[in-house]
Amino acid sequence: MTGAGKRLVVLISGRGSNLQAIIEATRRGELPALCAVISNNPNAAGLQHARDAGIPTEVIDHRTFDGRVAFEEALQEAIDRHRPDLVALAGFMRILGPQFIEHYTGRLINIHPSLLPSFPGLNTHRRAIEAGAREHGATVHFVTHEVDGGPRIIQARVPVLPGDTPEVLAERVLREEHRIFPLAIRWFCENRLSLQDSRALLDGEIRPAQGLSPSPE
Ligand code: GRF
């Protein structure tokens, strides 16, 4: 693949199903092997996925630091030891501060379980059902200072069906997350995706604010 030399670091806090999807894409040769998986949570189940795949892991436990800035300095140091081209937040559940975000601007992406700009924040599936949304989904975006508000790269839509519980809807969305997150990372590794002037560019075209799916492979 193009960009096989790209260096990727993934940050997680929990289950790690998106991490697992990324690992599977590396096995299929669609992505370069990961340099490291870093978690703020020592009990994150996803750490085991990384270990099973022979990927170096590290825990930077936010609870052992005196405040957010000290935590983020340690996190940044741990990440930068791997000299990453891209840092992917795959269910990383800490809000990141301005200095950290500034340091990684253009090489920090996140997956969020909603069709942004709808439902930023937490409990998106329950909120979508309660709001009577007919569609829900997931968004991969560059991380900027606005939480869940950075330039969007790709979205995937799913229907909200009668009788859906948040759990059932989350499962449907998750299947799409596992497709679009590795795809966005692959675009980045192939030098097709970048952040320029606060806009996401794919193959030289500005990504539209809406209607991001279907997308080219
Ligand atoms: C996913 O729904 C992701 O969109 C959100 O957190 C969840 C992480 O799930 N940011 P997993 O740890 O990847 O299974």
Side-chain angles (χ1 to χ4, degrees), residues 159-178:
V160 180
L161 299 175
D164 268 354
T165 61
E167 293 72 27
V168 167
L169 182 55
E171 268 301 310
R172 195 175 303 130
V173 170
L174 207 54
R175 278 196 292 277
E176 294 300 311
E177 294 187 32
H178 296 166

Side-chain angles (χ1 to χ4, degrees), residues 114-128:
S114 82
L115 294 170
L116 290 170
S118 298
F119 307 115
L122 297 174
N123 302 317
T124 58
H125 311 300
R126 183 176 54 69
R127 287 160 58 213

Side-chain angles (χ1 to χ4, degrees), residues 3-195:
K6 286 278 194 282
R7 301 182 60 83
L8 306 177
V9 170
V10 178
L11 268 51
I12 61 168
S13 296
R15 175 179 56 183
S17 71
N18 276 287
L19 167 65
Q20 185 60 28
I22 294 166
I23 291 172
E24 281 162 21
T26 70
R27 291 202 176 115
R28 292 193 300 269
E30 293 167 11
L31 295 177
L34 303 184
C35 297
V37 170
I38 301 174
S39 174
N40 65 302
N41 169 13
N43 301 317
L47 286 168
Q48 194 56 44
H49 296 320
R51 290 188 199 111
D52 291 346
I55 301 162
T57 61
E58 196 165 339
V59 173
I60 309 289
D61 186 344
H62 62 281
R63 293 168 305 184
T64 64
F65 291 88
D66 196 9
R68 185 177 53 72
V69 171
F71 162 64
E72 288 178 6
E73 278 171 7
L75 182 62
Q76 185 174 317
E77 211 175 287
I79 296 170
D80 284 353
R81 249 181 267 130
H82 300 281
R83 294 177 286 106
D85 295 292
L86 182 69
V87 179
L89 305 179
F92 185 70
M93 300 306 284
R94 307 299 301 168
I95 300 229
L96 294 162
Q99 275 161 358
F100 185 95
I101 289 172
E102 188 76 28
H103 180 72
Y104 294 107
T105 299
R107 52 194 181 119
L108 184 62
I109 64 174
N110 180 48
I111 182 140
H112 179 78
S114 82
L115 294 170
L116 290 170
S118 298
F119 307 115
L122 297 174
N123 302 317
T124 58
H125 311 300
R126 183 176 54 69
R127 287 160 58 213
I129 291 170
E130 283 173 5
R134 299 175 65 171
E135 278 192 320
H136 190 43
T139 305
V140 181
H141 64 94
F142 282 105
V143 176
T144 59
H145 296 299
E146 198 190 332
V147 176
D148 297 328
R152 298 188 275 279
I153 298 164
I154 183 171
Q155 293 187 316
R157 286 164 197 281
V158 301
V160 180
L161 299 175
D164 268 354
T165 61
E167 293 72 27
V168 167
L169 182 55
E171 268 301 310
R172 195 175 303 130
V173 170
L174 207 54
R175 278 196 292 277
E176 294 300 311
E177 294 187 32
H178 296 166
R179 184 176 65 78
I180 63 173
F181 206 19
L183 178 59
I185 295 171
R186 188 174 117 199
W187 287 339
F188 189 94
C189 290
E190 292 174 340
N191 294 322
R192 296 170 59 190
L193 175 67
S194 62
L195 180 71

